[in-house]
Amino acid sequence: MSSTAPNLDDEIENLQARVSTLKKQLRIQTSTLIASPSTRQLFAAPPTTTAQSTIPSDANPVRQKLLTHAASQQAHNQQCLYRTCAALTTFRVQDPDPNAVDGGAVLGLRIEVFSRTKFLRPYYVLLNRPYGPASRRHLRLHRHTVPPCIPLAGLAARHLPPPARGDGAVHGRMQDLPRFARALRREIVRYHHRLGVVADLRKAAGLGGAEKSDDGDGAGEKLPGQTLVDITPADAEARQLSIEWADGRTGRLVMGDDGEILKLVALGDEGRDHEAARELLGGALRVDDVVRSLLAAA
């Protein structure tokens, strides 16, 4: 009985996860069907022919509920389209501090990021103008919600340099706010893509803690004959991955900005293990290729 109970609990948990996934897929398909142009056209006017007699009338609460759901889905689609096309937006903020510089006027940058089939919480960067009337067009970082691993200070020093001082100690350069915003968003997107690649690699290797797939097909379970026991980011920027094998070997994989493999070193009891590195890479040039090879091996 003791050996059967855990298996039964696992089956119940897998069944509940499968039911939850099916309900999610049903909601998505229902919203897509109701919000489609052809369906909205059918509900736009009251039925006039026999073929349309099955459509609820205007006074029918079912019709009103469907129209409300279709309008809500259309608004959601419009919002997603806006967030996709307008990934960088600006807005004005009034600093409530009575002693704030420039009368409390603040310029805000909103940065949208889409990763792993969903929109993340937007990142915000606030800029002010503390240099006085002589340098009204020069901005400076005020507040931000950017992750610490993003080189925000370096990007600001490169694209938003301070104005020149009267004594000539600082040579002023022109600021380029659009280039700063694009470079910052590029760094944030690359960071989240690297995190996504690490999650996909863990899932493909069958390691615990990886996110389950949306289709509930059991991806993320331990693969037969799997020798990898851990793959985790070794730095805050997720550029280096720490790899551990079941036999005690360890490795370090260095990943580029866009997921390319820069270097992989595997260490065993006798030093560097080139065979383990070649077995894991298999001639791959990107981490995505390693993910596909692990999935193919399954």
Side-chain angles (χ1 to χ4, degrees):
M1 292 295 295
S2 59
S3 60
T4 307
N7 296 333
L8 182 59
D9 293 339
D10 293 340
E11 291 180 2
I12 294 176
E13 183 179 358
N14 293 334
L15 182 59
Q16 291 176 346
R18 181 63 175 172
V19 171
S20 177
T21 301
L22 291 176
K23 289 182 178 180
K24 180 180 179 181
Q25 294 178 354
L26 179 61
R27 289 194 300 268
I28 294 175
Q29 294 175 3
T30 303
S31 300
T32 303
L33 180 61
I34 294 178
S36 63
S38 58
T39 305
R40 287 166 46 210
Q41 186 177 4
L42 290 175
F43 286 104
T48 57
T49 63
T50 306
Q52 295 176 322
S53 60
T54 57
I55 300 177
S57 61
D58 292 336
N60 195 316
V62 176
R63 176 189 178 88
Q64 296 300 325
K65 184 177 180 180
L66 292 176
L67 288 175
T68 303
H69 189 87
S72 176
Q73 183 64 30
Q74 184 181 8
H76 176 72
N77 294 341
Q78 185 177 4
Q79 180 185 12
C80 292
L81 180 62
Y82 174 80
R83 297 182 69 178
T84 302
C85 299
L88 272 171
T89 53
T90 60
F91 58 94
R92 295 182 179 181
V93 182
Q94 181 64 35
D95 194 336
D97 186 358
N99 300 319
V101 298
D102 195 24
V106 176
L107 176 65
L109 294 178
R110 182 188 296 105
I111 302 175
E112 297 281 0
V113 180
F114 185 83
S115 178
R116 300 182 65 80
T117 70
K118 63 181 179 180
F119 285 101
L120 305 179
R121 178 177 297 179
Y123 292 100
Y124 296 95
V125 177
L126 302 181
L127 308 165
N128 59 9
R129 296 178 295 190
Y131 300 111
S135 303
R136 293 284 298 172
R137 299 183 62 87
H138 283 75
L139 300 170
R140 185 189 67 176
L141 281 176
H142 179 52
R143 296 286 189 271
H144 67 87
T145 61
V146 177
C149 59
I150 303 298
L152 179 60
L155 294 176
R158 179 184 305 173
H159 302 293
L160 301 177
R165 293 210 303 259
D167 56 4
V170 177
H171 300 283
R173 292 181 288 119
M174 293 294 294
Q175 292 189 345
D176 195 338
L177 181 60
R179 181 170 294 182
F180 166 77
R182 290 194 299 267
L184 177 58
R185 184 179 184 275
R186 186 182 303 113
E187 291 294 334
I188 294 176
V189 170
R190 285 175 171 174
Y191 167 69
H192 283 286
H193 282 180
R194 290 194 297 270
L195 292 180
V197 167
V198 175
D200 291 339
L201 188 59
R202 289 181 56 85
K203 184 188 300 184
L207 300 178
E211 297 180 3
K212 294 183 180 180
S213 61
D214 291 339
D215 54 3
D217 57 357
E221 298 179 355
K222 199 69 175 177
L223 301 180
Q226 184 59 256
T227 58
L228 295 172
V229 296
D230 194 18
I231 300 176
T232 55
D235 61 344
E237 299 180 359
R239 295 179 183 272
Q240 299 186 22
L241 304 182
S242 177
I243 305 174
E244 296 183 13
W245 281 266
D247 55 5
R249 292 175 296 178
T250 60
R252 181 65 59 91
L253 186 147
V254 181
M255 180 170 40
D257 291 334
D258 299 319
E260 66 274 14
I261 299 175
L262 302 180
K263 183 179 293 186
L264 174 62
V265 177
L267 300 176
D269 296 335
E270 300 179 358
R272 293 191 60 173
D273 193 334
H274 298 280
E275 182 180 354
R278 286 194 299 268
E279 180 182 355
L280 179 61
L281 287 182
L285 299 178
R286 298 175 55 85
V287 182
D288 298 336
D289 300 331
V290 178
V291 172
R292 283 189 287 268
S293 64
L294 289 176
L295 291 175

